[in-house]
Amino acid sequence: MNTAIVETINVTREVAWLPWAVSYFFLIGLSYGAFLLSLPGVVFRRPGWEALSRLALLGALVCGLTAPVALLADLHQPGRFWHFYAYFTPTSWMSWGAFFIPVYLVGLILYAWLAFRPLLAAHGRSDGRLAGLARAIAYGGLESRRALVGAAVVALVGALLVALYTGVEVMVVRARPLWHTPLLPVQFAVTAFAGAVGLTLLFNRFGPARHDAVLIGRMSRVLAVSQLAALLVGVLWLVLGVSGLAPVHAEALAEVAHSPGWQLTAVWAAGATVLTLLLSWWRPGSGLLVGLLALHSAWMMRWTIFIGGQEVPKTGAGFYSYSLPLGPEGLMGIVGTAGLWVFILVLLTTVLPLERLASARPAGV
Amino acid sequence: MKSERNEYEAREASEAGRRGTPPGPPDCNVSRRNFLRGVPVLTAAAAVPAMAQTPATARHWAMLVDVRRCIGCQSCTMSCIQENVVPEGSFRTVVSTYSVEVTDARQPAGTYVLPRLCNHCDNPPCVPVCPVGATFKRADGIVLVDADRCVGCAYCVQACPYDARFINHDTNKADKCTFCAHRLEAGLLPACVETCVGGARIFGDLNDAQGELRQRLDAARGELKVLKPEQGTAPQVFYIGLDERFTGKVEGQGSLWKPRARHA
Amino acid sequence: MKVQRRDLLAAGGLAAFAAGFSQTFGRMVDAFSGDAAQGHNLYGAALAPEFRVDPDSGELKLNPDQQVSYTGCLGCTTLCGVRVRIDKTTGKVIRVAGNPFSPLSTEPHLPMKASVKESFIALSRFQDKGLAGRSTTCGRGNAALAQIDSPFRVLTPLKRVGPRNSGQWAPISFEQLVKEVVEGGDLFGEGHVDGLRALRDLDTPIDPDNPGFGPKVNQVGHIVSVNDGRDLLGRRFWQQAYGTQNYVGHGSYCGGSWRSGSGALFGDHRAMPHAKPDLAHAEFVLFIGTAPGNAGNPFKRTGQLLAEGRADKRLEYVVVDPLLTNADNRAAPEQGRWVPIRPGSDGALVMGMMRWLFEHDRVNTAYLANPSLQVAEAQGEPSFTNASWLVIVEAGHPREGRCLRGSDLGLPLPDGAERYGDDDPYLVMGPDGAPLPVPQARTAAPLEVDAVLTLAGGRSVRVRTGFELLRESALSQSLEAYSADCGIAVEIIAGLADEFSSHGRRACAVAHGGMMSGSGFYNAFSVATLNALIGNLNWKGGFVMNGGGFPSVAPGPRYDLVNFPGKIKPRGTPLGRNIPYERTAEFQRKREAGQAYPADDQWFPGAPGLGTEFFASTFSGYPYSLKALILWMANPVYGIPGLQERFGQDLADPKKLPLIISIDPLINESNAYADYIVPDSLMYESWGWATAWNGVPTRMLTARWPVIEPRQAKTAEGQPISMETFVFALARAMDLPGFGPEGLADAEGNRLPLERPEDWYLRAGANAAFAGEPVGDASDEDIALSGVERIRPQLEAVLKPEEWRKVALLYTRGGRYQPAAQAQEAERPEWQTNRFSKPLWVWSEHVGGARNALTGQRYSGCATWQAPAFCDGTPMRAVHGEAEWPLLAMSFKSALQNSYSIATPITGLHPENPLIVHPDDAAARGLKSGDAAWLATPGGRVKCTVLVHQGVMRGVVAVEHGFGHRELGARAHRIGERQQPDRPHLAAGFNINDIGLTDPTRGGRSIWVDAVSGAAVRNGLPAQLERA
Ligand SMILES: Nc1nc2c(c(=O)[nH]1)N[C@H]1C(S)=C(S)[C@@H](COP(=O)(O)OP(=O)(O)OC[C@H]3O[C@@H](n4cnc5c(=O)[nH]c(N)nc54)[C@H](O)[C@@H]3O)O[C@H]1N2
Ligand SMILES: Nc1nc2c(c(=O)[nH]1)N[C@H]1C(S)=C(S)[C@@H](COP(=O)(O)OP(=O)(O)OC[C@H]3O[C@@H](n4cnc5c(=O)[nH]c(N)nc54)[C@H](O)[C@@H]3O)O[C@H]1N2
Ligand code: SF4
Ligand code: SF4
Ligand code: SF4
Ligand code: SF4
Ligand code: SF4
Ligand SMILES: [Mo]
């Protein structure tokens, strides 16, 4: 036991970015990831991708609508969200983010609406629940390719900006070596995408294509690739850190290397990713399982970066120990976000029954 | 809630100035080093054009902490809490206390105490990140938070390399040391300074060459250090007797007990 | 089916969302409805400044909403002068800082002639005055104000409900309280209890067989903490009006051993004078068992002077302590040094140093050779010792160990003089080889004398000098052996001796709490004697006396607060047995029976009143038992090692001790056993005239006065219930002398009332204000600025026209203070003004002539090294060997807490106390920081959390004092219908006193105390440590 320097009196800084933030980064990541997944099927009409892409789009929508609410809650002054727009501050990535999010969401919603209009119309014609509502939203239900592409482009630009700012906003925090590495945004993006694939697999589990081995296999491959990418980035991070080639990485590593808790999480995260990779490659059939694993890795990564990162004192010795409070600042918050997510999902899948959504037939027909 | 116009002006001014300055170690670092060599120069805040318009604040507040004089009594810590009504479990200042193994055989270990507070950096990383411009460096060098504007996003809390900021649980806004600006304005000293038992905290105007602070700083030239100099934050809290092992994150065993906040 | 599940899902989701975001919604609403006032947009809730000072002109502007008053702190026994800031609208104390007039808070302090206005400006930024004249409170002093409105305060008289210590109370009226405690009766349905009236029997002896015990009134005992400036009123009542002998302070469990050891050197076992280093001018100070800046009294002044001395590189100091504390500071490594020592072994270190000094001719023999002050001063020395006086060393001679007197040689006594009285001269060896009476000595006397003289009776006896006896004692053991005993290397012992004797008179050695061990008395006597060997007493920069106060409770000049008709001089054996056994009837009986020793239990000739022994005495009935115990401001159960374990049961048993009354603002571990609790005022609410305990070379007196409205309930006459109103009421009920309508007299002898606190304190103030050169008058501005307006009506009503403004001046300045410059004499600037003029007893005949009552063994009359032992001299280790108890546990004061600050904000910063363990000892037990462990001694075991670092001597475990409370908020009491709040965290940590030892050589009748001083033993307890 090292007793060279023993701190006898000091204070703690509580985490200031709460689990709310983790939820936000998790959901917004899933959203833009899923959005990207939706492009091949919905925009490029690649055969065999329709169902998946529509499921992905559903995911992008559900997560995209939930995420900002979590973000709002992470503000200790949620009622003042409008200050972001009243006092634009170009030096702050967060300030920019406040403008990127709407761009993305508006694009996404428009894009989704255009993509789903035919389906909505179809449901409107049925006697299913909320058929009336569906009919209303469908608003005629005819599809216009051009508008769709246009909306997709707006959403794409928004998605990239969101991906960029969510990564860089954290990366620029030099005060936290663990965050302050150029690889961080990449890691966020890759894991977000992998998570999105996982989410789509999850949705698919409840759709008509739940036994479509080809489809699941395809997804699994995509997942495997993304996991591989995640691993490579991780390895690169480690190499840079250990070798000391890149000081920022060395610092980042140094910050956490000594913490047993961290070593465990690191091994865990790596393990989970490897497992997902292997399963999705060798057992493409195990769709749901790998899906969940991927989601779990995406969450874990963000949890350890944000909460774990804030457990590292910037000046004091040792670590601040965080224990998840049960109230809104902690567990209740996470559950609440999930609740909202579920609610929106149920709502959407009622006007847009999964059966239709995930049927391999192209939209409208 | 009152709020002073001239401070807003100063704020706008210093912000304007800041937006101009590119990231990376700004020139005020250089000037600070010069200052330590005794060459009288303007500080970063003073470099802001608006300064000229508000000569009333042509001051640059700063603190000198003479660690040799600190007895770790935490009078500063407690008086700050009383004076600024800091919620239980939160602190604007504290004196970190350590038992340090001594290798030079004279004695097995020694006590090291380190008063910490906001450094009122001349290049404060906490400021540019604020998404609503609620936190700013005033022309007199003090880094403040405008509670009327703060949205409590805690970005500044993350960006401060010194753990000097926190979210105040009573106000749900960013909180930190203000150098007791409310007392300075009344011609008084910061609470932690006026009641410093060991006389370790010396406070004053960097630009007042005759002032106690400058006299002491000049006398100690060469011995002076700041925390985390490599961050290029240009801290305005200077230390005599700052041990290298304590300028950054301390490598050692953390304290067993952390202050308890009764909220949550 | 499916549909329903969806609905449930949706509903569930929505519900979870609502719950999870409730807070968010709430905050949003706040935001729009404009949330609760959050103060200034930049300064937040910060307090409005108490006043404004224009930094350029120095002009002062007041804040009409706030009051700033100078009074006294009681956050610890230092009793600093502080300035209290009060919000006039709420009447709450909002912040406390230092009083710039008080040397306990400021160095250098402002002169009295500075106006209150000037004193405010002196604290401001104007010309950086506030930095130079910084006046402070410590961390505790800042936090202490929380006690005023603490939910744990006792505000009305309480009477216990159910058995003692059951935490249930009934609030009762003041009248009922007084009636019941005075008249007694079947107060608790447990049978008859004698009231104070019945117990006040001034004639009937307690025990006809032992008339020496005195009258039954002595069966009422009183324990008070420290003299907080009110003690003399307490003594006036309990001793001089009520009549009991047994009124003691906390000395015996504070630093009793140091005080006794010092008392031996200074030759006074009642007042036990002690000196302190002149930190403002010293070059080298050796702190042995006192931790400057970590604790110590005066805490702040010592800390500040230490900090200044080391920063200015003027002062070098060494702290000899088993534990590393805040006394060390690595930022100034070349100025200070920590030398770890084994607890209880300081005598070995110090006698080793003495050996080195003797062997290297570093003892100032020229100084020691001066036999009297007259000769000394002629030699330019401001003090002298009895080192050259002749001591009878003839074995078996009845006066063995005593100094030779003129009457022993048959020299004629001056008429009227009694044998061995003050005028029976001591002797030195004269130039002609014949003994010479000290008063006749004109030059230095020989130090090395070993002669045989023929006494009056014709019997010839061997005599030697104290110097020789001390040297013999020092040389009795080799440096190596001393080193082995204290665990300090030979070269360090030599180095310390060398350094100590290399600074002329500007060096000093001092001790305190570290002496509270099983060898405490001789360790302390040795440390004190070290100073005599370099002759530093009364020298600037040396070993200096406290400046003392200004006489307030005095026989004049304005009022006689001391004498009154019917004043009682208490008589009889003190309950603490602090007199020579040889003076008791038991001794006579046993000697006649042919076997004088052992006595039934220990006696302590070398001690003042012993609170430590109260409990053993009363519960074993030796010498006699108490019928009633009064606890005022005292918490012996928490503060005395082993007390609760050994006597808790007894205290809880009304048959063993029928009546316990406490006067205290809080419920602590001791008065939790009380039958009645009388509320008392807390520091800023109370009156008092407090002097510096020590360490201030100039005279000073702190004025404490109610700067806020006391929170306690009021009496029928509208007086806040307090110690004062309680004793006034008792005096009225029992019609006691010295109180009531004619209780007092002015200097002219006109009778005056003593019925309200002001009658006492304001007149005491008048004495102080008129002492020597009377002080000036307070101006209306002073009175307005300092909040003294509050008490102006009383001042004008109680005092005479020519007096009240002078007394007001003291209140506006928070006391009276001698100018700092007068610490040294103008004409001899190297001499202190206030000097100790009696001899230093290098050989104490008082101790050297006494015997251990349990063995009949003689005590050594000079400094000597004896390993920690129990009362009959049996070494502690002979009973509790290292095999079973490998560690030594010791206690030290928290740098932040005191023994009753637990329920204040300071606890938020430092919530719990660890057991500090050396890495090697931890490794041997598989312990690491943060682990839970059991710390066990023969007195019991406690659960603790270990903190492992190098800052403690190997083989020693250290306990920070001030935690492990059972009361003061740790337990929620029920008071009538009201339940105190539950604050379990206030019980955090542990208290070493819960595992203090009992003394096996006293049949376990008592806790372990030092054989000579009777002081509690809290350092060097044999211990084991194991994982929990
Ligand atoms: N912070 C703070 N200050 C205080 C107080 C407080 O409660 N807290 N209380 C006040 C009171 S009442 C008093 S009496 C004074 C006491 O002031 P001090 O006497 O200075 O303090 P203590 O902690 O009692 O003892 C001093 C040191 O003795 C050491 N020690 C223990 N055993 C031994 C030993 O065998 N040999 C040696 N050489 N050292 C040993 C302890 O580690 C401790 O550091 O402090 C006063 N000031
Ligand atoms: N293990 C260990 N034991 C120790 C010590 C140690 O260092 N270690 N220190 C020892 C020392 S140095 C001392 S002096 C003793 C102290 O022990 P004591 O003097 O007996 O008691 P304290 O705990 O100082 O305080 C006594 C009570 O005074 C009450 N009180 C506080 N303020 C006021 C007031 O304004 N008015 C009145 N009426 N009451 C008030 C509080 O209820 C408090 O419990 O403890 C000794 N015990
Ligand atoms: S110390 Fe932190 S909070 Fe203070 S100015 Fe520097 S960066 Fe900002
Ligand atoms: S917490 Fe307030 S001050 Fe800090 S960055 Fe956010 S808005 Fe700005
Ligand atoms: S200057 Fe004021 S706010 Fe800053 S630490 Fe000191 S007391 Fe606290
Ligand atoms: S008040 Fe001064 S001496 Fe005391 S801890 Fe703070 S800085 Fe150190
Ligand atoms: S040293 Fe003691 S008396 Fe002085 S301010 Fe601190 S607590 Fe109060
Ligand atoms: Mo004490």
Side-chain angles (χ1 to χ4, degrees), chain C residues 153-159 171-174 177 230 631-633 661-667 671 676-682 685 710-715 719-727:
Chain C
R153 263 195 84 166
V154 174
L155 297 173
T156 62
L158 301 182
K159 178 183 184 180
I172 59 172
S173 73
F174 186 64
L177 166 79
R230 308 186 290 162
L631 293 167
W632 173 32
M633 205 166 42
I661 304 170
S662 162
I663 308 165
D664 205 293
L666 300 165
I667 301 178
N671 63 8
Y676 296 90
I677 301 181
V678 185
D680 198 6
S681 46
L682 271 159
E685 303 167 329
R711 306 296 194 248
Q712 312 91 280
K714 302 215 165 23
T715 65
Q719 290 278 330
I721 302 170
S722 64
M723 177 281 279
E724 291 85 356
T725 46
F726 183 55
V727 299

Side-chain angles (χ1 to χ4, degrees), chain A residues 328-343:
Chain A
E329 312 243 296
L331 193 59
M332 267 317 294
I334 299 172
V335 174
T337 316
L340 178 62
W341 187 89
V342 168
F343 175 73

